[in-house]
Amino acid sequence: MQIVKKILEGDIKTAARFIRDIDDKMPNVSNVLKKLYPHTGHAYIIGITGFPGVGKSTLVDQLIQVIREQGKSVGVISIDPTSPFSGGAILGDRIRMQRNALDDDVFIRSLATRGYFGGLTASTKGVVDVMDAMGKDFILVETVGVGQDEVDVMNVAHSTLIVLIPGMGDNIQAIKAGILEVGDIFVINKADQKGVERTVRDIQIMIEIDQSLKRGEDKDGWVPKIMRTQAIAGVGTKELFDQIIVHRDFLFGEGIDYYKKRKYLRDRLELLDMIESKILGDMINRLEKSGELDEALGKMYDDNIDPYTLCDDIIERLLHKDI
Amino acid sequence: MSKRKIRILVAKPGLDGHDRGARIIARAFRDAGFEVVYTGLHQTPEEIVAAALQEDVDMIGMSSLAGAHLYLFQRTLDLLKEKGVEDIILTGGGIFPEEDIEKLIDMGTKAIFMPGTPLDEIIKWVRDNIEPRKGL
Amino acid sequence: MFKEDQMDKANKMHSHWDARCKKSFSKFPPRKERCTTVSDLPIKSIYTPEDIKEMDFAEDIGYPGFYPYTRGVQPTMYKGRLWTMRMFAGFGSAKDTNERFKYLVQQGQTGLSTAFDMPTLMGYDTGSTRAKGECGKCGVAIDTLADMEQLFDGLPVDKITTSMTINPPAAIIWAMYIAAAEKRGIPRAKLGGTIQNDMLKEFIAQKTFMCPPEESVRVVVDTIEFGAKEVPKWNTVSISGYHIREAGATAAQELAFTLYDGITYVEESIKRGLDVDAFAPRLSFFFNAHIDFFEEIAKYRAARRMWARFMKERFKATDPRSMLLRFHTQTAGCSLTAQQPYNNVVRTTTEALSAVLGGTQSLHTNSLDEVLALPTEHSVTIALRTQQILAEEIGVTNTIDPLGGSYFVEALTNKIEEEAMAYIDKMDDMGGMLAAIDNNYPQKEIADSAYRFQNQYDSGEQIMVGANKYETEDKVAVPLLEINQELENQQIEKLGRIKENRDNKLVDSSIDRLKEACAKDQNVMPYLLDCANTYCTLQEMCDAFRDVFGIYRDPGIF
């Protein structure tokens, strides 16, 4: 297949256009992804999440710089929200990553959530595989950054970075409740601002409490680290990258059992996800094409049949391929 | 299979920073349901084309107000060709003398929108003239 | 301001009038559901004593030349001296612009105003990779002192004042101007003029930026400090609302963000250890004259009153000159239409009139073809004549602040002040302008206003004649100024010759010392003067800034 060959050669145009096909759920996609899959597994994937305005994109820009200085290639997936009203989106994260715009070893792709929750897009896993197959050494995944539920990135990334800024008082509460387990490294960006010591202390305490609550089998896991950066000036980003490498070495070294366990759960979830979306996609497609949905609504209004009954009836017939 | 979305790159080439028009059009495109990649200020044609290639957009909209448009548009078109993506359509908005509009169209720019063009008109033009690319 | 029984009578009359209106509207419904200014500020059908009854004449309105200066900064205003008619000019090479300057001075213009090309404005030399195709396109190209010498050759720079619209490299261009004058034997203390040098509004609106905000403001304070000590007749910062408005702000936003920029420069200069009265008299302002006639007049009046109060109360200035908000005005480029361009003369006329009635100190009137390209000599002359007609034919200069005391104008002045104060309070809470910029607060507010206006324009709620109403098919051909395409190569050659003939060792050591001054928080001005005199290029000096201070990039927040 020409597409597969070109992507494996690192051809940007083909890769970029195939990514669009994944995003648009085109029919041929899974055939290509099947052929790409054996060529994946080389890239190290770093997830970057955190609230809007904490400087995620600028941090990504700095990490690109550090990675390139080491002669490694990098792919970036940057996600922005789709407007629920229009279905459109403004993808503006690239702006802050333009320093390496002309470097062929830096491939940046902006994606819109298109109604997908969890901070990623439905296509993210596929796009990661494409970049991996292209031979990128590192892939940075920047989540949409809208709230506290952005935990999906941990299922894609090897190392997950949670970016915070000083003085986020209430938000730290939210993190406590939501995404503490997700973070492998906590990054306190804009560390020249006041309140940084307090933020570091708060997170430190959270980590300690979390560690002491963990049951025995989790003890061989990783103890999250806290790093300080001023991404806009490039301060602390080299050290941050070094810490990511420490985490990588841990995962593939003394933490290998822990990593395998994590990976198994992840792959399981992913397979389940894939099956779910395929079944669901197929059924919804059939349903919409058949016109059964409007027919059912007709029954609801004209014959006073309740929606619960209608739902059961439709599912029954979908399963028996009557629709 | 869901309907393909139109993807547009809105760019501000050159050194002038008057981005009011570029920002308004980016918002209007979003509100019309397009996916808009905004590359920000002070971009060279090389940077714009590299972004268009990686982002797989159907169209580039360039805003220019400071008079360097003839160079900037020609260079962008040349680079699109060089990279083998001349199917990406180039359009422009901003301040251009009447005779330059002809030159811009002649060199391969698909449409030029002058100040005062209603947003609806531009959006309609996009819907009528930009077809999302076929799948590979 | 009124006696109680007078107010009672007035209120009774108001209800009679109201009833009559209702009757009349039942036959002929109101022409418009909602009347607003171009800034979307609602306007009532009529204003009466009720609207200004809380005002105190002495405290809120007063006399021109007296605190709080609502009616004007000088006691005599245009009775003594007219505003300065200052037409912005600059295109092509230094030689081309020098010829245009000489022409304008012959035509009776009393001050020069210089436009630079984009590479100069952004700190790049002609021929730099980022500057391709832009040489001389929207102003004059300045690479070294040699260009500056040619630009003002034969012009009496000790007698006329010169305004230079430049921001990130403002200190550098100023150093070149001072160096050029001193080479002609004119001491710096005799030089009068203005550099725009307002970096804060660049981050907010015009987006001509180079180094990060904090470092940029530090260099601005360097110029304020240097000016106060060595160039006492120079206006070191022209705190500008013009670009904020052009970017789509409302009148109140223009006022609030501009005044807050001014507050920030004052605060930072005081932090530097300067006495407020030593530098504040040299701060000047630059506002937009937009299309909404009364709103603009009210804006200028509110601006003077607010600034005077800030200086006196917030900064404890004691010199009355520190409290004066002196300002330049330019008519609104964004109000002009490319369609039926001759209509632009009419727009510019009423906008200029609002600036005059609002008490401006100097004025640029846009040319009818400015929306299409750089203006031709013919169209610039019409624009200048417009000012001369306002000044000498129509009688508006006979009396000072002729609209003072108008129920409507006074109420509107109060309203705009109130709206602007709300923004200022909010930014105080955020921790000042630098913090607000970091939060993208002013940027977002302006973008929202711009988008709202565009939608109102599209729906016909805001009218631009010839563009979204009374459109015609036929096109009017306007003769346009051609820029010599060969210019870029000629300028590159000229720069090459200068680089060959200068003492390059001296250049290197001057740049090294400049970098050291940047890093060690020393005032950069003396070092820039050395660099200018050794014919360092603009970009070499800017690169020194970029190396030490870093580069700022568009945050691109929507």
Side-chain angles (χ1 to χ4, degrees), chain C residues 81-93:
Chain C
R81 219 177 59 178
L82 289 169
W83 63 90
T84 306
M85 299 177 192
R86 198 189 288 280
M87 303 298 283
F88 194 39
F91 60 93
S93 68

Side-chain angles (χ1 to χ4, degrees), chain A residues 236-264:
Chain A
T237 40
K238 171 78 177 58
E239 292 78 359
L240 171 61
F241 184 73
D242 291 345
Q243 190 60 52
I244 293 169
I245 297 303
V246 170
H247 184 231
R248 184 184 69 178
D249 293 347
F250 167 82
L251 288 181
F252 299 136
E254 55 172 310
I256 188 75
D257 293 337
Y258 164 77
Y259 172 68
K260 279 183 177 159
K261 200 164 67 192
R262 223 165 102 166
K263 188 171 182 316
Y264 177 80

Side-chain angles (χ1 to χ4, degrees), chain B residues 91-107:
Chain B
T91 62
I95 296 182
F96 313 101
E98 193 72 35
E99 68 223 48
D100 283 2
I101 295 178
E102 261 169 58
K103 285 185 199 158
L104 291 169
I105 298 288
D106 284 348
M107 68 174 72

